[in-house]
């Protein structure tokens, strides 16, 4: 189940631990056509016929930034933070795309927590890996930083 956080102190107890693993999400062609949102219509993403023939992957692949954009959704499957005024996405460190996600593959998040505190703000540094089902290399790794402002 989800880890439930009600205060900064609850966060502190999780420092250095693997917090959890999300469910898998399938990256369908329909989801990949999210290109309409980013205006990145490169054929390696949106033209299955051409990709079959010309791509080294013989398939369309997800945009790296699509994979990244699923991070908050996957993170929310792992953790529930209560008593919040707000949560802000503060940035990324050491982000690397290790392997493309082919259309139809599924990804999930594995997350470990580091933490800083100043005032009523918890700066949660989540060391994350996005795994591709049945693949040895990660799709994406890095550190996502969220600021949690508690009531």
């Amino acid at each position: 189940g989800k880890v439930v956080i009600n205060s900064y102190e609850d966060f502190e107890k999780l420092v250095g631990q693997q917090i959890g693993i999300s469910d898998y999400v399938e990256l369908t062609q329909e989801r990949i056509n999210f290109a309409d949102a980013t205006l990145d219509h490169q054929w390696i993403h949106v033209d299955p016929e051409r990709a079959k023939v010309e791509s080294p992957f013989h398939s369309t692949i997800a945009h790296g930034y699509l994979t990244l954009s699923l991070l908050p959704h996957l993170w929310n499957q792992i953790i529930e933070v209560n008593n919040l005024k707000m949560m802000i996405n503060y940035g990324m460190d050491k982000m690397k795309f290790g392997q493309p996600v082919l259309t139809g593959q599924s990804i999930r998040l594995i997350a470990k927590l580091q933490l800083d505190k100043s005032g009523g703000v918890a700066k949660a540094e989540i060391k994350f890996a996005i795994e591709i089902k049945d693949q040895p290399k990660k799709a994406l790794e890095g550190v996502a930083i969220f600021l949690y402002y508690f009531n």
Side-chain angles (χ1 to χ4, degrees), residues 54-70:
E54 293 184 40
S55 164
F57 308 108
H58 307 294
S59 164
T60 46
I61 61 173
H63 306 68
Y65 289 121
L66 169 60
T67 305
L68 177 63
S69 75
L70 290 168

Side-chain angles (χ1 to χ4, degrees), residues 77-95:
Q77 292 189 348
I78 291 174
I79 198 161
E80 179 183 317
V81 185
N82 300 319
N83 301 319
L84 274 189
K85 277 197 273 258
M86 62 180 168
M87 186 269 276
I88 292 177
N89 182 349
Y90 186 72
M92 290 279 159
D93 282 340
K94 303 182 181 80
M95 192 178 78

Side-chain angles (χ1 to χ4, degrees), residues 1 9 13 27 33 36 46 52 95 99 113 117 132 139:
E9 289 66 34
K13 293 173 193 149
L27 293 184
N33 289 343
D36 293 340
V46 299
K52 241 177 248 166
M95 192 178 78
Q99 177 171 312
L113 181 72
K117 186 187 187 188
I132 307 169

